[in-house]
Structures are given as C-alpha cells and as structure tokens.
Amino acid sequence: MRGPIAGGLMLMGLACSGWSAANSSANVGESIYLRGTVGSGAPVRATRVSGLRMEGPAAACVNCHRHSGLGTTEGRLTIPPITGRYLFQPRTMSRDEVELSYVEGVHGNRDPYTDESLARAIRDGLDSAGKPLAYLMPRFALGDSDMAALVDYLKKLDARSVPGVTDTLLHFATIITSDADPVKQRGMLDVIGHYFADKNTFPFPPTPRMRSSGKTLYTKSMYMANRRWQLHVWELSGPAATWNAQLEQHMKEEPVLAAVSGLGGANWSPVHQFCERARLPCLFPNVEVPVAAEGDFYSLYFSKGVLLEAELIAKRMRETGSGPPIRAVQQLYRMGDSGEQAASALAAALKGQGFDVRSNVLPRGAAGQAVAEALHQAPAADVLVLWLRPADLSALGEPPTAVSEMFMSGLMGGLENSPLPDSWRSRTRVAYPFDLPDLSRVRVNLPLEWFKIRRIPVVAEQVQVDTYLACGLLAETVSHMADTFGQDYLVERMDEMLEHRLMTGYYPRLTLAAGQRFASKGGYLLRFDGADGNRIHPDGGWLVP
C-alpha cells in the first residue's frame, strides 16, 4: 500500500528548517509534530495497540496527519484532521450550524476536546468522550511540558490566513528565470494564459467529497463557491544571486497560493530554495535540472530531467560487464549549461565502480563553436557521453573510431528530433526520460488538439504539453479541495490524486508516494532507426534507476 498511511511506519522526508535549540513552546511543538523530537532533543516514543513500538521520525505525527494536520483517506482507512479548528469545534446536530470547511474524515458529532482530554487522547488513545480511538493511533509517552507544546502547536496549525485566497479569487504565479529559453518561455506563457482564460470562462465544477450514504455534518461546505483564477508572471532578471530578493518582493506585492508550471534554465536552485523557505507550493516547473534534496516538501517535479538521464546512462554502463578493467569515460558539455550538472551526477554515480570519468568542457559562447575540434583533441575513451544542444550536435563532425559506446541527452538534444549527424545515429544511445513516442502519442494528442483549437503555435512541444498537464493537475486538485485552502493541503491533495490521473502526457505513469517529489521515476535508452528521420526504438525496456 502506498501513501502517507503506509509511510507512517518509516522514516519520511520532512520539509522544515533545522530545529533551533531554543526551547520555546512553538519550536518544541513543531519538532514533536514534524520530526518526532521532544524538547530535550530526545526522540518521541510511542506504542500502538498491537504492541509495535516507534520512536523519533517514525513516531512523528506528520506521518499520518500530514503537514497540514488535515489527515487523509486511503481506501477504507481514514486519518481525521487534528488542527485546532476541528478538535475544539463545539458539538452540533445541525448541518446548517457548521462553519468549518469540509475535510473527509472529520468527526463532527462528538464533544469538543479540551486541553486535558486531548492530552488523554494522545497519551492513552481515548477520545473526548472517553471511547477508544482507532487502532492506528499510537499512544505517546510525553511529559507535561512537551504535551502542552504539542497541544499549542495543533491549535495554531491552521490559524493563519492563506496567501492568494479571497472570497472571489485564487492567485497563482508562474516563475521564469532570467536564463530561460525565450522560445520555450513564449510557448509556456501562451499555454498557461489560455488555460487560465478557459478556467475562468468554463470553471471546473467542485468535486463532492462525501460518504456513499451522502450524510455528513459538513455537507453545506462540500461545494465551494467558484473563484476566478488570477495569474501573476514573475519574471526574474539579472544574476541568480539576486533572485531570492526578487521573489520575496513579488510574494510581498502579489501573494499567491502556489506557483504553477514556470520555466528555468540551467539553475533552478534559488527558486526551489525560496519556495521551500516560503512554504510556497511550486508545481511542476519546466526545468532540466530540478533540485533533488531529501526532506523538501513544497516543490513537485514531473521527473529529474537530465539528472534522471545521468542515472539511466550510469545504470546501463554498470550493467555492461565486458571491456577493460578500467573503462575511460569522456563527457562533453558547455560550461554553465544543464549538462554541467548532469555530467557531475554521472561521474558521482560511477565513482569507485571501475570507470575513469573525465570531462571536456566547451567554453561559453556561440553554439557549435569548435565542437568537433574539442572532441577530437580529447583523450581516447571507451565511452563518450554528449550533454549538448542541437546546434552543437549538428556540428560534431565524424565520430571517434576508438569509442565503443556513445550516449547523448535526449532532453537537451531535441529528443527524437535531434539533428545528430548521420554517421553518429546508428551508434548513439539516446537517454529518454519519457514514455515511448508511439505509446504517449494518444495522451499527447489531447493537448495538441487543444492548442490547435485555441490557435496556440507549437514552438516547444514537450514544454507546452507539460505546462498543459501541470495546469490540468492544479485544476483537478483545487476542485477536490472543496472550500479548504492551504498550501500544505494543496500539496497533499496533489500527492493523493496524482496517480489516478489517466491523461499523463509524455509520462507512462505519475505517482507520488510519501516523501517523493518526482512523479515519473524512469525512462528509456533509445536508438535511431536509420541514418535520417526521427524514428527511434528502445534499446531495452523501461529503466528505473
């Protein structure tokens, strides 16, 4: 079983900054909830009814109740919300009297908790009426000061206003870095602009979240008032060192609920770090080099991009056992481009495994400049890996005769439309972090037809299709949130509904289990069918590094 409930028994990545030693109630409550650490720094200890003992991160409340505190539902298992608004809500028998937004799993027809009865529930597993809680609820060994800090944290967990949300509008941003490709930028903005216009003209109906009986105390809040979507384009300028200040200023002037899609060049890290610090959901930006940082929560990506390509190539090279004891690997990339980080990732993946990995770095400058010369001046190698753009690929000249294996980045090189010279095509494997073209074409045709109807020029197909997919996922997730808005809850709802999506564009499947931030996990190594054209075939099956 996947998901947050299964993840409650294992160490899960958590998005939070390092905990200060300052022993404030807020810090202690947050540390117990998110990291499973009490005020003294010792691990939280808990025991389930079954006798299973947990401690530390495995016992953290977040594993089941999520960052938002609003719980989750998986199959027949329901984890209720435990934020202050829901725990301390007075009992009511009338649906019309309930003012809280609907969350599946909420227990409305019961006595409200007090500080004392909530402490008893956490320690002894008894609800506000003294009845045993579900077997999933552990019994926690917490002292009085730690318990008071945790109760205080739960009270404040949802007691803040949500940026970018008004009674009539939902505000979203799309972020574009100064090193982004201008052609891709034009295509991405064309798609997202038309999508938002369509959304406001033909709003998605809200999705009811009710039991099969149709009875709930929160029926009236299960259907949200339709809100228009407002798009803010945050274009960053200048060097990357200035982007954080620009993003902070944008967020101050134009508060948003989330950032959707967007476009980066070779360096997305400052944007990623800002979103984690600001707790701003950043949903599926178009970036070749995403940030793979354990413990981050707010940034979701379709795949690892060129970092996944490096893993695919490394996996194939490690599985190829023939050859000399030490195999010489030569990588070719341009300084400052995405291939620089991809080459570093490949070198790290092959370290200590019988490979001598070296890099031939092309200077910044005009594409194609001295590529063939640099290649043939490089030391002899058994394996050659190209992290190059189409203009550089077309200027390669003749391939080195001594090289036994050659690989190239499909994402950087134009995928099946790469202008790789004829003499290279039969010998080069293409790293391809997508489904096979023949299999994905039906899924990709839907957005392409949408582009055609709206007269959107296709100038960067993969980026534009991914942008359309990101917007669609956001629309479906918001419709499932009813009237309960929050940044953490948005990410959690996205996690839960993603794998049920049928139209997944270039990707065979999208899923995010607990702690995962990359929705597509694998790819192919492909070969061209001939010396010309864009027909390709797999060189082996789907690979998950």
Side-chain angles (χ1 to χ4, degrees):
M1 177 175 64
R2 68 156 292 278
I5 295 174
L9 301 179
M10 65 183 70
L11 175 61
M12 137 182 203
L14 304 174
C16 49
S17 59
W19 177 60
S20 168
N23 199 21
S24 71
S25 175
N27 283 341
V28 173
E30 178 180 347
S31 186
I32 293 170
Y33 189 92
L34 292 178
R35 294 175 286 281
T37 304
V38 297
S40 67
V44 169
R45 290 182 170 82
T47 306
R48 293 189 188 274
V49 174
S50 64
L52 176 68
R53 296 181 179 181
M54 301 172 293
E55 68 174 47
C61 312
V62 71
N63 290 324
C64 291
H65 293 283
R66 313 302 302 272
H67 279 73
S68 66
L70 297 178
T72 187
T73 297
E74 186 172 324
R76 295 186 176 182
L77 299 177
T78 299
I79 305 297
I82 57 169
T83 64
R85 288 192 304 162
Y86 293 90
L87 290 173
F88 298 98
Q89 168 72 16
R91 174 193 284 269
T92 177
M93 295 302 293
S94 170
R95 300 178 210 165
D96 293 333
E97 296 176 9
V98 179
E99 297 298 330
L100 294 180
S101 299
Y102 173 78
V103 176
E104 192 166 4
V106 67
H107 300 305
N109 189 22
R110 59 155 172 74
D111 292 332
Y113 279 96
T114 63
D115 289 8
E116 292 74 20
S117 62
L118 182 55
R120 181 183 65 182
I122 295 171
R123 287 187 176 122
D124 303 325
L126 300 176
D127 69 10
S128 59
K131 298 178 180 179
L133 293 169
Y135 72 95
L136 287 173
M137 176 65 182
R139 281 55 173 162
F140 292 86
L142 291 178
D144 289 344
S145 61
D146 289 324
M147 180 65 73
L150 177 58
V151 171
D152 186 59
Y153 180 77
L154 297 178
K155 289 179 180 179
K156 298 176 180 177
L157 193 55
D158 58 1
R160 58 185 176 84
S161 61
V162 180
V165 178
T166 74
D167 291 340
T168 58
L169 284 174
L170 295 178
H171 293 264
F172 299 99
T174 193
I175 302 172
I176 303 169
T177 62
S178 58
D179 62 344
D181 183 305
V183 174
K184 293 179 180 179
Q185 175 179 338
R186 185 172 69 250
M188 187 272 294
L189 287 177
D190 212 355
V191 171
I192 198 170
H194 277 84
Y195 196 100
F196 271 57
D198 272 15
K199 174 63 181 65
N200 290 330
T201 304
F202 311 105
F204 265 57
T207 302
R209 306 279 295 166
M210 63 173 65
R211 302 289 183 188
S212 58
S213 65
K215 296 180 179 179
T216 171
L217 290 178
Y218 294 78
T219 300
K220 76 169 187 174
S221 66
M222 292 169 65
Y223 295 95
M224 64 181 179
N226 180 58
R227 291 172 169 86
R228 292 176 60 82
W229 286 17
Q230 178 68 51
L231 178 65
H232 302 273
V233 180
W234 293 356
E235 289 192 57
L236 306 180
S237 61
T242 68
W243 293 351
N244 181 69
Q246 294 178 53
L247 288 166
E248 288 181 348
Q249 188 64 28
H250 279 301
M251 191 66 179
K252 180 180 179 181
E253 296 176 354
E254 303 170 330
V256 296
L257 175 61
V260 58
S261 191
L263 185 67
N267 184 11
W268 186 255
S269 181
V271 180
H272 177 103
Q273 292 169 6
F274 167 81
C275 292
E276 292 299 319
R277 287 193 302 271
R279 300 186 175 187
L280 176 68
C282 185
L283 308 175
F284 309 111
N286 296 289
V287 289
E288 293 175 340
V289 191
V291 179
E294 184 177 353
D296 286 349
F297 176 77
Y298 294 93
S299 297
L300 306 181
Y301 301 95
F302 284 128
S303 85
K304 286 186 178 180
V306 295
L307 304 181
L308 173 58
E309 291 185 332
E311 293 175 354
L312 294 172
I313 294 171
K315 181 176 177 66
R316 176 57 58 88
M317 290 172 63
R318 288 193 299 263
E319 292 173 350
T320 305
S322 59
I326 301 296
R327 303 180 68 196
V329 180
Q330 188 71 26
Q331 302 193 83
L332 184 62
Y333 63 86
R334 277 204 180 272
M335 182 182 298
D337 204 352
S338 301
E340 187 169 355
Q341 294 188 57
S344 177
L346 179 59
L350 296 176
K351 186 177 180 179
Q353 300 187 49
F355 296 92
D356 178 18
V357 184
R358 300 180 182 182
S359 293
N360 193 350
V361 184
L362 300 168
R364 300 176 190 266
Q369 182 180 357
V371 175
E373 181 180 351
L375 180 62
H376 288 282
Q377 286 180 351
D382 303 299
V383 182
L384 177 64
V385 183
L386 305 175
W387 303 103
L388 299 175
R389 301 288 177 188
D392 281 332
L393 292 173
S394 63
L396 281 170
E398 292 300 313
T401 56
V403 174
S404 59
E405 288 187 285
M406 295 189 292
F407 299 90
M408 64 165 279
S409 164
L411 197 58
M412 294 181 64
L415 302 174
E416 61 267 33
N417 296 314
S418 168
L420 194 67
D422 295 350
S423 55
W424 290 72
R425 295 170 79 84
S426 62
R427 298 179 54 189
T428 304
R429 295 186 181 96
V430 182
Y432 201 86
F434 305 107
D435 202 357
L436 295 174
D438 289 345
L439 299 179
S440 65
R441 183 48 50 186
V442 172
R443 301 190 302 269
V444 170
N445 276 343
L446 175 64
L448 291 181
E449 286 298 316
W450 187 84
F451 299 163
K452 184 185 298 183
I453 293 171
R454 283 147 188 83
R455 300 181 180 179
I456 298 174
V458 179
V459 296
E461 181 180 295
Q462 182 260 316
V463 167
Q464 290 174 280
V465 169
D466 276 7
T467 298
Y468 177 87
L469 179 58
C471 291
L473 289 168
L474 175 63
E476 291 182 21
T477 301
V478 168
S479 75
H480 279 75
M481 293 172 71
D483 219 20
T484 305
F485 292 106
Q487 288 128 319
D488 291 13
Y489 191 51
L490 173 60
V491 175
E492 292 161 6
R493 295 298 300 151
M494 182 76 74
D495 284 357
E496 293 170 12
M497 59 78 58
L498 187 66
E499 70 173 313
H500 303 295
R501 172 85 179 194
L502 297 178
M503 301 306 294
T504 54
Y506 280 92
Y507 309 94
R509 186 186 179 208
L510 298 173
T511 182
L512 289 170
Q516 294 180 348
R517 301 296 89 185
F518 300 95
S520 180
K521 313 299 191 295
Y524 289 94
L525 291 172
L526 305 180
R527 288 187 183 273
F528 287 100
D529 277 347
D532 55 11
N534 61 0
R535 294 289 301 174
I536 52 180
H537 64 272
D539 186 42
W542 175 259
L543 299 175
V544 179

